[in-house]
Amino acid sequence: MEKLTLIKVGGKIVEEEDTLRKLLNDFSQVEGYKVLVHGGGRSATKLAAQLGIESKMVGGRRITDAETLKVVTMVYGGLVNKNIVAGLQALGVNALGLTGADMNLMRSDKRPVGEVDYGFVGDVKEVNADLLASLIHQGIVPVLAPLTHDKQGHMLNTNADTIAGEAAKALAKHFDVTLMFCFEKKGVLRDENDDESVIPEIDRTAFKLFVEEGVIQGGMIPKLENSFQAIDAGVKEVIITQASEIHLGKGTRVF
Amino acid sequence: MEKLTLIKVGGKIVEEEDTLRKLLNDFSQVEGYKVLVHGGGRSATKLAAQLGIESKMVGGRRITDAETLKVVTMVYGGLVNKNIVAGLQALGVNALGLTGADMNLMRSDKRPVGEVDYGFVGDVKEVNADLLASLIHQGIVPVLAPLTHDKQGHMLNTNADTIAGEAAKALAKHFDVTLMFCFEKKGVLRDENDDESVIPEIDRTAFKLFVEEGVIQGGMIPKLENSFQAIDAGVKEVIITQASEIHLGKGTRVF
């Protein structure tokens, strides 16, 4: 199978003109088949505030009432997605912006109300990536917004990391997928106070040891657990890196 | 060649929950290959007002400054487009929402500043419909938002009638295209005070006579001239009708 790189970048980078331009330049240099997954939370919060809608977050997740759903549909599916698509087209990358509703790419269930009512938030149930894979083979570069639908007529707000993981797993039937998560550090650090102490490779055995020794802790534990879960589901490798290094093959390789 | 129906509906119908639901039901009953082109002007004006941005129109066209461009990108490319896509998916129609930037479908030039500076408004220069035609053959139903790009990184606001006409002409290489323009009347009327006086068919000879006799006048003249221009460019027929009759084959047939 041919190689495909699926890169997830957070909101901040794609929401400022300078960092977006650098990211798109770097992304255009990534060789072979590729997919970009983006966030857009800061712009959503900003637009919501301008419209007098309060942004409520629980555990980093946005409570999405009907008005907030309109805001994220406009910001993620419209503003951020189309700015990225137009920017990539200018660099000769044949981008196609998509939400989970388009081509029924990702169907979700509205998250059941538990201790928290997240509102119109989707948990992905079904990914239809065959047509997407065929488009990628024809040179299309999908740009995925963090939105899905319930196939009953409603858009649903969906975490961008989840979109990236689910798309990577579904595309693993068609490609050797490298899933790349960008965050603010250069990779998983051996010493959180030393930005250069990147651990180059982590397999499951090393992960257990690092956790036992307290080298890996906090939010990095679920991030790595999700990475191993993607690998169990057929993704070839996960790279945790900084957005500025996506075209350099650096960071922490999880396999 | 196989038949394709390309239907353009104005903003009002797709911007209200009830009329949108009826439209999507009717559209889902249109047989064969199809494409939907939508507007969204009222929602754009509403969002602009909420954000304190004044909507300036000249001859029915929106003056699109940088802030207004963000609004229309959000509303046309995000809110309206994705609501239609999700609604069609619920009806089993495999919709795919697109702007002209996606897959470089429509490249425009920013309109030169003349007597009026329209701002970020695009005049279509190039339509790349081959991949779109291939997707349609695979069962995809494109939903086109009235936005294009300049292939230099900028989205451009573009009239929905123009998007429909240009898409129809480009798709005429691949399909026998019926281009359907929906407006508030049941078709071209022989007597503007009698909504039932629909002229069933108009060819170029009849058009000249109707204009000479004063039966056809005002805004209907450029609408029909555009229709004949589409036919000269390979579109098989143009139907001018009411949104509620798109699945019934009624209205005025221009050929």
Side-chain angles (χ1 to χ4, degrees):
Chain A
M1 285 200 289
E2 290 170 290
K3 189 175 151 63
L4 177 139
T5 309
L6 191 147
I7 299 174
K8 187 261 164 174
V9 290
K12 195 174 180 185
I13 287 156
V14 300
E15 292 174 274
E16 286 167 22
E17 200 53 39
D18 287 356
T19 53
L20 174 61
R21 196 172 308 129
K22 164 125 180 48
L23 171 78
L24 298 186
N25 262 308
D26 292 346
F27 181 76
S28 75
Q29 290 170 46
V30 173
E31 284 180 20
Y33 297 120
K34 54 197 169 187
V35 176
L36 187 62
V37 179
H38 64 83
R42 283 166 188 79
S43 298
T45 297
K46 189 178 156 197
L47 179 63
Q50 289 176 309
L51 296 171
I53 301 164
E54 191 192 345
S55 290
K56 291 175 212 149
M57 311 292 287
V58 174
R61 303 296 166 99
R62 187 179 303 269
I63 306 289
T64 308
D65 62 11
E67 287 305 306
T68 303
L69 181 65
K70 285 185 191 173
V71 167
V72 297
T73 302
M74 290 195 285
V75 170
Y76 302 162
L79 189 64
V80 175
N81 191 266
K82 299 314 170 193
N83 271 345
I84 292 174
V85 169
L88 287 175
Q89 288 288 352
L91 296 166
V93 175
N94 201 359
L96 165 61
L98 296 167
T99 69
D102 298 292
M103 307 192 302
N104 191 24
L105 189 60
M106 283 194 203
R107 185 184 64 75
S108 285
D109 282 350
K110 184 170 177 290
R111 186 169 298 171
V113 177
E115 283 181 38
V116 178
D117 180 359
Y118 285 94
F120 294 100
V121 163
D123 294 315
V124 177
K125 294 295 162 187
E126 183 192 340
V127 185
N128 303 298
D130 291 359
L131 192 49
L132 191 70
S134 148
L135 283 171
I136 293 168
H137 274 120
Q138 288 172 77
I140 291 295
V141 175
V143 176
L144 306 185
L147 294 166
T148 58
H149 75 139
D150 63 2
K151 216 168 185 301
Q152 293 171 49
H154 307 102
M155 298 299 293
L156 292 168
N157 188 9
T158 304
N159 179 265
D161 280 1
T162 305
I163 298 274
E166 294 293 335
K169 286 188 248 174
L171 287 167
K173 281 179 222 140
H174 304 271
F175 301 92
D176 275 344
V177 175
T178 295
L179 170 57
M180 205 177 272
F181 285 112
C182 299
F183 80 138
E184 63 275 15
K185 303 289 185 184
K186 289 184 177 177
V188 182
L189 302 181
R190 187 178 286 276
D191 173 359
E192 61 176 322
N193 298 312
D194 178 3
D195 280 353
E196 300 305 317
S197 67
V198 175
I199 301 169
E201 290 194 331
I202 302 178
D203 63 9
R204 210 174 281 268
T205 311
F207 174 57
K208 279 183 191 153
L209 281 170
F210 281 134
V211 173
E212 280 169 21
E213 291 167 4
V215 170
I216 294 175
Q217 51 185 326
M220 191 48 79
I221 294 176
K223 205 180 273 276
L224 283 165
E225 280 169 347
N226 287 340
S227 299
F228 287 117
Q229 196 215 325
I231 288 163
D232 288 344
V235 172
K236 203 180 172 194
E237 59 180 8
V238 178
I239 311 273
I240 296 175
T241 189
Q242 215 166 28
S244 58
E245 306 204 324
I246 54 173
H247 56 309
L248 303 175
K250 291 185 181 174
T252 299
R253 179 173 167 258
V254 184
F255 67 104
Chain B
M1 287 199 289
E2 289 170 291
K3 190 175 151 61
L4 177 138
T5 309
L6 190 147
I7 299 174
K8 187 260 166 174
V9 289
K12 195 175 181 184
I13 287 157
V14 300
E15 293 174 272
E16 284 166 23
E17 199 54 37
D18 287 355
T19 53
L20 175 61
R21 195 173 309 129
K22 164 122 181 51
L23 171 78
L24 298 185
N25 262 308
D26 293 344
F27 182 76
S28 74
Q29 289 169 46
V30 174
E31 283 180 19
Y33 298 121
K34 53 196 170 187
V35 176
L36 187 62
V37 179
H38 64 83
R42 284 165 187 79
S43 298
T45 298
K46 189 178 157 199
L47 179 63
Q50 287 175 312
L51 296 171
I53 301 163
E54 191 191 346
S55 290
K56 290 175 212 149
M57 312 293 285
V58 174
R61 303 298 165 96
R62 188 179 303 268
I63 305 288
T64 308
D65 62 11
E67 288 305 306
T68 304
L69 181 64
K70 285 185 191 172
V71 167
V72 297
T73 303
M74 290 196 284
V75 170
Y76 302 162
L79 189 64
V80 175
N81 190 267
K82 299 314 169 192
N83 271 345
I84 291 174
V85 169
L88 286 175
Q89 288 288 350
L91 295 166
V93 176
N94 200 359
L96 164 61
L98 296 167
T99 69
D102 298 292
M103 308 191 301
N104 190 25
L105 188 60
M106 282 194 204
R107 184 183 65 73
S108 284
D109 283 350
K110 184 171 176 291
R111 186 169 298 170
V113 178
E115 281 180 39
V116 178
D117 180 358
Y118 286 93
F120 294 100
V121 162
D123 293 316
V124 177
K125 293 296 164 185
E126 183 193 338
V127 185
N128 302 298
D130 291 358
L131 192 48
L132 190 70
S134 148
L135 284 170
I136 293 168
H137 274 120
Q138 289 171 75
I140 291 295
V141 175
V143 177
L144 307 184
L147 294 165
T148 57
H149 74 139
D150 63 2
K151 217 169 185 298
Q152 294 171 48
H154 308 102
M155 298 300 292
L156 292 168
N157 188 10
T158 304
N159 178 264
D161 279 1
T162 305
I163 297 274
E166 294 294 336
K169 287 188 248 174
L171 287 167
K173 281 179 222 140
H174 305 271
F175 300 91
D176 274 344
V177 175
T178 295
L179 170 57
M180 205 176 273
F181 285 112
C182 299
F183 80 138
E184 62 276 16
K185 303 288 185 184
K186 289 184 177 177
V188 182
L189 301 182
R190 188 178 285 275
D191 173 1
E192 61 177 322
N193 297 313
D194 177 4
D195 280 354
E196 300 306 317
S197 67
V198 175
I199 302 170
E201 292 194 330
I202 303 179
D203 63 9
R204 208 175 284 265
T205 311
F207 173 58
K208 278 183 191 151
L209 280 171
F210 282 133
V211 172
E212 280 170 20
E213 292 168 2
V215 171
I216 293 175
Q217 51 187 327
M220 191 49 80
I221 294 176
K223 206 180 272 276
L224 284 166
E225 280 170 346
N226 287 340
S227 300
F228 287 117
Q229 197 213 325
I231 288 163
D232 288 343
V235 172
K236 202 181 172 194
E237 59 180 7
V238 178
I239 310 272
I240 296 175
T241 188
Q242 214 166 28
S244 59
E245 306 204 324
I246 54 174
H247 56 310
L248 302 177
K250 291 186 183 174
T252 299
R253 178 172 169 260
V254 184
F255 65 104

